[in-house]
Every structure is written in C-alpha cells, then in structure tokens.
Amino acid sequence: MPKLGMEPLRKKALMDAALRTIGQQGSLNVTMSDIAREAGVSAALAHHYFGSKQQLLLETIRSLLRALHHDAVAALGQSSGPRARLSAIVRVSFQSNQFTNETVAAWLAFYVEAQRSHQMRRLLVIYNRRLRSNIVDSLNRLCPPDDAARIAEGAAALIDGLYIRHSLQAAPLGISAAPALVENYFDTQLKPFVDAKPSIRIL
C-alpha cells in the first residue's frame, strides 16, 4: 500500500521528470517509461497516477501555468498604480525560472502539440487570455478602452515573440534586454495619453 500523502509528491516528481525528459529530448516524443525512469518510479505507477502520457503532459503544462499565475498574482499584489502593474507583468514574463532549458523546451513542445491537441490548445488559449486580461486591466486606467485593447495585443505579441526568439537563441540581445524593450513599447504607446493630461497649476 502506498504511504499516506505520497501521491501528491509522486505526481509532482513525475511532472518534474516530464519537464526534464522533454528538455533532454527537445520534443514530446518521450514515453511514459522514459518519464517514470527519470522520476525513479515504475511505468505502472506513472500510469496509475495519470492514466496516460497525454494526461501527464496536460498536468505538467497546468503546473507551469499555475506557477506563472501564482508569480503574476504575487507581483501584481506588490505593485501600486497601473504603470507599476504593467512593469510587474513584464518582469514575471521574463523571470529567470522561465528560461531553464527544461522549461523552454516544454513551452516550445507544448505550442507544437497545441496544433494537434484541443486540450493543449485550450490551456494555451487560457494563458494568452490571462496575460492579455492583466495587461488590459492596467491599461484601461491609463488610456481609452479601444487603445488599451490595441496596446495590449501588441504587448502580448511582443512578450511571446521575445520569449520564443530568446528560447531559440535567435535574439542578438541578452535576455536582460527583453523587459526593457517591452517597457519602451509601453512608454511609447502611452506617451500621447500622458502628454494629453491637463497640467495642474499651483497658485
């Protein structure tokens, strides 16, 4: 009989092993046995907990999304003002733990798999909607709604594009420069609205 409380620990170990295995092979073409071996458990136990490799992979990406969401909520909670909240979103999007070899390989593999898997595509759509929603929420306090939606689309595309370029080592600039590029985009797009605000005369 398994020890009480071991299931969550073993599930996490298997999800961590899935990330490492995907990172080592650079694709989702891994077997349940490969993942179980990396986790130090039997393939039968892996099947017992997740049922199939597809379910294990889905739970693995859910764990990545939960961690990203947790970090975003924490960063937003520590930020005062809409512009500071935008900076918090940028900072979390490019934090170092998003750029480990395993995490990068997993994200790229998941995006490829989303072309075939409805469930995987749905999870990535949720991520994109959450990112856009967080950006729009802050922008709505800085500019009109139509402009907020337009700027948010550009920012989300810039964040994803920079992540992919850096993950593929196709960017000429280091990862530390990526947040500055997005910050500059926000400043440039918001400048007309900042300049348009009436100044306050102190008599």
Side-chain angles (χ1 to χ4, degrees):
M1 292 291 290
K3 294 180 180 178
L4 188 64
M6 285 299 292
E7 181 173 343
L9 296 175
R10 283 179 172 160
K11 280 187 173 181
K12 184 180 185 308
L14 282 162
M15 288 186 285
D16 291 344
L19 283 178
R20 291 194 300 274
T21 307
I22 292 167
Q24 291 161 10
Q25 300 199 19
S27 77
L28 297 185
N29 294 324
V30 297
T31 67
M32 203 66 140
S33 295
D34 293 332
I35 297 170
R37 189 181 307 112
E38 179 69 25
V41 300
S42 68
L45 190 63
H47 280 286
H48 170 72
Y49 284 136
F50 292 99
S52 67
K53 186 186 81 169
Q54 179 70 6
Q55 284 305 120
L56 172 53
L57 295 179
L58 287 170
E59 285 303 319
T60 301
I61 193 171
R62 286 191 183 105
S63 72
L64 286 176
L65 291 172
R66 281 194 297 268
L68 191 58
H69 179 62
H70 177 271
D71 291 345
V73 169
L76 290 171
Q78 295 169 5
S79 305
S80 59
R83 186 61 185 86
R85 288 170 64 86
L86 289 173
S87 293
I89 294 168
V90 174
R91 187 168 61 253
V92 169
S93 297
F94 293 102
Q95 61 191 356
S96 60
N97 64 2
Q98 287 296 318
F99 284 88
T100 65
N101 291 336
E102 293 84 0
T103 302
V104 166
W107 275 113
L108 294 179
F110 287 141
Y111 269 104
V112 172
E113 181 65 17
Q115 306 306 308
R116 298 186 292 268
S117 167
H118 172 74
Q119 290 176 298
M120 196 76 73
R121 184 165 60 252
R122 179 175 173 275
L123 289 176
L124 292 173
V125 166
I126 290 172
Y127 154 72
N128 285 311
R129 285 178 178 171
R130 186 178 290 161
L131 173 63
R132 185 182 180 281
S133 175
N134 285 335
I135 296 173
V136 168
D137 181 65
S138 294
L139 286 173
N140 276 335
R141 307 177 199 184
L142 298 169
C143 61
D146 287 347
D147 292 290
R150 172 181 57 80
I151 296 170
E153 287 295 337
L158 188 55
I159 289 170
D160 284 345
L162 285 169
Y163 182 89
I164 291 172
R165 289 183 67 191
H166 280 283
S167 67
L168 295 174
Q169 299 180 344
L173 300 176
I175 187 57
S176 60
L181 290 174
V182 184
E183 292 283 6
N184 179 259
Y185 170 80
F186 279 131
D187 288 340
T188 302
Q189 293 295 317
L190 290 171
K191 189 176 187 299
F193 307 104
V194 174
D195 292 344
K197 288 183 178 179
S199 60
I200 299 175
R201 295 179 61 188
I202 301 176
L203 301 177

